[in-house]
Structures are given as structure tokens and as C-alpha cells.
């Protein structure tokens, strides 16, 4: 039987395909723009027939119909490995639970510990050889599909086809059902307009970066803004090795800064695990041989990152305490995002020859009551520690960049106070004194 015959044999409507889901099943939606909207809507229609269907996904931009149709969570229970802004709001509503993880370990969790009864995701149309490209979800998708009892693919005509290192495709022979149907254009996430503080933070980082450096930009608005600022700098021949390929890399490419020509590993190739951004980004990565997509268990491995000379990791966070602990995933006990690959890049960049790891944040934020609050805290009180103090390196705010590596507690306190907002410095000093991490000779 040729691949076209096999395709027709496995073709179903979304409603027919989701009949495979039974009460009590674990269902997986994989990640980001490969969220299977048609299948999700069809499964939601079966709400009254099903109970206790547990769904996993991450970085889904919504709406997730199975969640929205069941606010009591009697039929569908949604869980996320890494929260998008939409999923964060679901958490606030009690409609999503976070699964703690380090992103590169996600597939290993499935391989060794977890069960998937039905996996469903969007893919590109099948090629003449019978392969579907896993596109923007390649970083985690194949490992999840391999673990599933039943695999359902939803063909999305808008997804870019990405060149891969491995596990970027799945063959029709490995699939149980295929569904088709019209889709809206892919969700778009262009770079936000930078604030003056964003520009200052970027300008504090740029002097530490050399020509030919390889850049990782984390998930979130600030790394994107920093990347766009790099595009306006005098740097040249930059490389890409990153968990997320976002619009910042496209801006670097358009500016002639991103060539990958000096990379010490996979020269000429920019490497990523997942992709989402604007339509211009999707068009740029589509069948682009200079962009290589690969599983995050390889991309984010510290040993892989460490092979890249002059590796520069740029991530953001929510808060840092005076000991140098970094929180990038919660505000107190309120869940915000996830660990992702931040710890891997902090570790790997520090291991690389000439490598540097930067954690960025504005020195303050304004709360819902209009009050200014410091992002540098005396100590955490329930905030989730994403990177331990023992692995903290450069911390950057609009007031400067400090390197905590090898520094004692009193040195760290002094350094962090120096980049805190001036309105909070005396308060932080008093806290440091009470915590016995402030010397009388420290600079005030």
C-alpha cells in the first residue's frame, strides 16, 4: 500500500478521531502553535460522555475548549509543563495545574515514568514520502508521540516545515488517525515596544558580548527586546543556539548580525527546539536550511551548550533575593510560567569557553494598586527558586550588571543593592543587616 492510500485509510473527521478517548485517559496536546484546535473542539463536545480525562500541554495560547467548557473540572483536567499568558490565567481561575520540570527532561519523563493514552497535535501536510513535519513543536513532540497508545495528527496548512537534526518528522505508518480542516492563521507574538528600562538593560549587557558569540534568548518579552537591541549594535557574526527561536533572531538576521559563521559547533546552522512569533518569523524558518530544529533533550543539555565558545545566555526573571536566588516562575505562590530551560542555559553557558549567563529584570514593578515594588527582595517567602544562588552569575537591571559568581553573602548583598531601584536601597540594607549579610564597610 502506498503512502497516499495509507493516508486515505487513516483519514477521519475530528469527531470520529476523538472517539478514541475514554474516561480516565491521559491525553497530550504537545506544545505552542501545534495545539490541535479542531481535535480539542471535537473532544469538548464529548464532555457529557467523559469523566476524568487528564490533558497535558504547554505554552498553549488558547482558548482550550476542553478547559473552558468544564469549569468544575469533572470531565477534563488540564495540566501545563510551562505556562503561556493564557495558561497563567487558567491557573488563576483554578483551571490549570503546573507540572514542575526542566524542559530538556520532558521527553525522558514520558519515556520512563508517564503514560499517554492518546496524543494529538498539529503537523504540516504529509510529503510525498509519507512524512509529516513536527514543525514548531519538534523540541518535545516525537518523544511524546512515541509513548502514546494512539496517535492522532491534525494537518495545519499554516505551519512552517523545519529542517531538523533528528525527530522532526513522523511517518504515516506510525499514525493511527489523521484529520483535516481549515485553520485560522497561526497565533502571532511580535516583539513588544521596548521601555526605557529595557533599553538600559540591553545596553548593560552588550559590552560583555564579543563578535562571533552564540546567543540564547529565553522565553518572555525582555529577552526579545534585548535581542532586538543587539540587532542595532555593532556586533557581527552572531550565532543562535536556543530553546525558543523568536522574532529577536529574525531581527538579528535582517540586520546582518546573525550568520552562525563563527559557531564552534554546527557552524552555519542556528539551532532551536521550539518556534513561535510573528508570521514573518514563520515565513523565515520555513524550509530554511540555515535553521535546524532538534529535541530539547539535546538542544538544552548543558553538555551541548558548553561546546559553544563565547556562549551568551540571556533570560529574564521575576525576582532575585539578596542571597542571589533567582525566581523566574512564580510571584509568591502565584504560578507565572515555569522552569523551562533557564537553569540549563545558566549552567551550560557558565561551562562554555568565554561563556556568560545573564538574568535580566527591571528593578521594580507596579502592582495592581499602583504601588511600586522592588524585584530585589531581602529573602523569598514562598517564591519558587528557578536557579539556586550557587549558580547565579550576572544579574542585570536598568541600574547595572553585577556578577555574583564566587561572591560571599555580604558581597552579593552589596552588589544587588547597587542595582536595586534607589527608592528601596536603604530598606534592603536594613534587611541585609538584620540577616547578618551586611558589613559596616559596605558601600551604601
Amino acid at each position: 500500500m502506498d503512502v497516499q492510500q495509507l493516508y486515505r485509510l487513516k483519514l477521519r473527521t475530528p469527531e470520529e478521531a476523538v472517539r478514541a478517548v475514554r474516561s480516565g485517559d491521559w491525553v497530550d496536546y504537545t506544545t505552542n502553535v501545534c495545539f490541535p484546535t479542531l481535535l480539542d473542539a471535537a473532544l469538548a463536545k464529548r464532555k457529557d460522555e467523559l469523566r476524568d480525562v487528564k490533558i497535558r500541554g504547554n505554552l498553549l495560547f488558547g482558548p482550550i475548549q476542553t478547559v473552558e467548557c468544564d469549569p468544575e473540572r469533572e470531565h477534563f483536567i488540564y495540566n501545563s509543563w510551562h505556562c503561556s499568558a493564557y495558561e497563567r490565567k487558567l491557573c488563576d481561575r483554578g483551571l490549570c495545574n503546573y507540572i514542575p520540570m526542566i524542559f530538556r527532561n520532558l521527553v525522558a519523563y514520558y519515556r520512563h515514568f508517564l503514560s499517554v493514552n492518546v496524543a494529538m497535535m498539529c503537523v504540516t501536510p504529509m510529503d510525498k514520502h509519507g512524512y509529516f513535519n513536527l514543525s514548531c513543536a519538534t523540541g518535545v513532540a516525537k518523544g511524546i508521540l512515541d509513548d502514546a497508545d494512539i496517535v492522532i495528527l491534525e494537518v495545519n496548512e499554516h505551519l512552517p516545515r523545519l529542517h531538523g537534526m533528528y525527530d522532526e518528522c513522523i511517518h504515516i505508518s506510525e499514525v493511527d488517525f489523521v484529520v483535516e480542516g481549515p485553520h485560522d492563521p497561526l497565533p502571532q507574538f511580535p516583539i513588544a515596544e521596548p521601555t526605557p528600562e529595557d533599553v538600559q538593560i540591553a545596553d548593560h549587557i552588550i559590552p560583555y558580548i564579543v563578535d562571533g558569540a552564540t546567543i540564547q534568548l529565553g522565553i518572555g518579552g525582555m529577552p526579545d527586546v534585548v535581542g532586538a537591541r543587539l540587532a542595532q549594535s555593532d556586533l557581527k557574526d552572531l550565532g543562535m543556539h536556543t530553546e525558543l527561536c523568536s522574532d529577536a533572531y529574525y531581527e538579528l538576521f535582517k540586520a546582518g548580525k546573525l550568520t552562525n559563521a563563527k559557531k564552534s559547533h554546527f557552524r552555519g546552522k542556528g539551532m532551536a527546539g521550539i518556534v513561535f512569533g510573528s508570521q514573518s518569523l514563520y515565513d523565515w524558518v520555513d524550509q530554511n536550511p540555515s535553521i535546524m530544529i532538534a529535541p530539547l533533550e539535546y538542544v538544552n543539555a548543558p553538555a551541548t551548550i558548553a561546546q559553544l565558545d563565547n556562549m551568551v545566555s540571556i533570560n529574564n526573571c521575576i525576582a532575585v533575593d539578596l542571597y542571589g536566588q533567582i525566581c523566574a516562575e512564580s510571584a509568591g505562590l502565584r504560578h507565572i510560567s515555569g522552569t523551562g530551560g533557564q537553569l540549563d542555559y545558566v549552567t551550560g553557558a557558565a561551562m562554555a569557553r568565554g561563556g556568560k549567563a545573564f538574568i535580566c529584570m527591571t528593578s521594580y514593578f507596579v502592582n495592581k494598586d499602583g504601588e511600586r515594588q522592588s524585584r530585589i527582595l531581602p529573602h523569598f517567602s514562598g517564591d519558587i527558586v528557578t536557579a539556586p544562588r550557587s549558580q547565579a552569575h550576572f544579574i542585570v537591571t536598568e541600574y547595572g550588571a553585577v556578577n555574583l559568581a564566587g561572591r560571599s553573602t555580604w558581597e552579593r548583598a552589596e552588589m544587588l543593592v547597587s542595582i536595586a531601584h534607589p527608592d528601596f536601597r536603604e530598606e534592603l540594607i536594613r534587611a541585609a543587616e538584620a540577616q547578618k549579610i551586611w558589613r559596616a564597610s559596605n558601600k551604601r
Side-chain angles (χ1 to χ4, degrees), residues 166-377:
Y166 67 98
D167 278 357
E168 79 280 13
C169 294
I170 185 169
H171 193 263
I172 184 63
S173 62
E174 302 174 85
V175 176
D176 294 286
F177 306 118
V178 180
V179 304
E180 298 175 342
H183 291 83
D184 292 332
L186 297 178
Q188 295 194 55
F189 306 91
I191 297 173
E193 283 297 315
T195 66
E197 290 86 356
D198 293 333
V199 172
Q200 289 171 306
I201 288 168
D203 288 347
H204 289 312
I205 295 173
I206 288 171
Y208 291 96
I209 303 175
V210 300
D211 290 342
T214 297
I215 308 295
Q216 177 259 335
L217 299 168
I219 296 173
M222 185 171 290
D224 263 359
V225 169
V226 172
R229 189 70 175 168
L230 288 174
Q232 301 168 17
S233 72
D234 293 330
L235 292 165
K236 58 187 179 182
D237 284 330
L238 298 177
M240 178 180 89
H241 185 100
T242 187
E243 175 179 276
L244 167 66
C245 178
S246 65
D247 270 78
Y249 291 101
Y250 180 53
E251 294 299 318
L252 287 167
F253 168 76
K254 287 195 300 181
K257 309 295 182 184
L258 184 70
T259 67
N260 296 295
K262 303 295 184 181
K263 283 181 70 179
S264 54
H265 198 52
F266 290 109
R267 184 167 298 172
K269 302 277 187 181
M271 179 172 282
I274 58 177
V275 179
F276 58 84
S278 70
Q279 186 59 50
S280 295
L281 175 71
Y282 302 136
D283 292 340
W284 176 55
V285 299
D286 183 42
Q287 302 190 71
N288 186 339
S290 72
I291 307 296
M292 181 163 56
I293 196 94
L296 288 174
E297 61 187 328
Y298 177 83
V299 177
N300 283 11
T304 302
I305 300 163
Q307 296 178 58
L308 295 155
D309 293 348
N310 298 312
M311 179 72 206
V312 175
S313 167
I314 302 171
N315 289 283
N316 59 353
C317 73
I318 296 167
V320 173
D321 74 6
L322 288 177
Y323 297 95
Q325 297 184 109
I326 297 163
C327 169
E329 53 196 284
S330 78
L333 296 178
R334 182 188 176 225
H335 191 76
I336 302 295
S337 57
T339 302
Q342 181 170 125
L343 184 58
D344 288 331
Y345 281 92
V346 167
T347 304
M351 293 165 60
R353 184 170 62 178
K356 302 178 184 73
F358 295 90
I359 299 292
C360 309
M361 62 181 179
T362 54
S363 66
Y364 72 95
F365 68 97
V366 177
N367 67 17
K368 62 182 179 181
D369 298 320
E371 300 168 333
R372 182 181 286 172
Q373 295 189 320
S374 179
R375 291 193 185 276
I376 296 178
L377 305 175

Side-chain angles (χ1 to χ4, degrees), residues 7 11-12 14 34-39 121-127 131-133 152-159 161 172 175 177-183:
Y7 183 95
L11 189 61
R12 300 286 190 278
C34 292
F35 166 50
T37 54
L38 303 180
L39 289 165
M121 67 172 291
C122 279
V123 294
T124 66
M126 188 179 76
D127 68 16
Y131 287 97
F132 303 88
N133 188 267
I152 308 174
L153 300 185
E154 178 177 318
V155 176
N156 186 327
E157 63 277 19
H158 301 301
L159 284 172
R161 186 178 294 273
I172 184 63
V175 176
F177 306 118
V178 180
V179 304
E180 298 175 342
H183 291 83

Side-chain angles (χ1 to χ4, degrees), residues 17-18 20-21 25-30 34 36 39 54-56 110 115-123 140-154 170 174-178:
V18 299
V21 177
D25 274 357
W26 280 98
V27 175
D28 209 286
Y29 283 173
T30 72
C34 292
L39 289 165
K54 299 166 285 286
I55 302 171
R56 300 186 192 101
Y110 285 89
S115 297
V116 185
N117 300 109
V118 182
M120 50 183 78
M121 67 172 291
C122 279
V123 294
V140 298
K142 188 59 163 60
I144 297 172
L145 300 179
D146 285 347
D147 190 50
D149 299 328
I150 296 172
V151 173
I152 308 174
L153 300 185
E154 178 177 318
I170 185 169
E174 302 174 85
V175 176
D176 294 286
F177 306 118
V178 180

Side-chain angles (χ1 to χ4, degrees), residues 372-394:
R372 182 181 286 172
Q373 295 189 320
S374 179
R375 291 193 185 276
I376 296 178
L377 305 175
H379 57 82
F380 287 146
S381 300
D383 308 71
I384 305 300
V385 174
T386 304
R389 61 182 181 172
S390 53
Q391 290 186 260
H393 286 259
F394 287 93

Side-chain angles (χ1 to χ4, degrees), residues 13 133 138 243 389 402 439:
T13 66
N133 188 267
T138 293
E243 175 179 276
R389 61 182 181 172
V402 295
R439 294 195 333 163

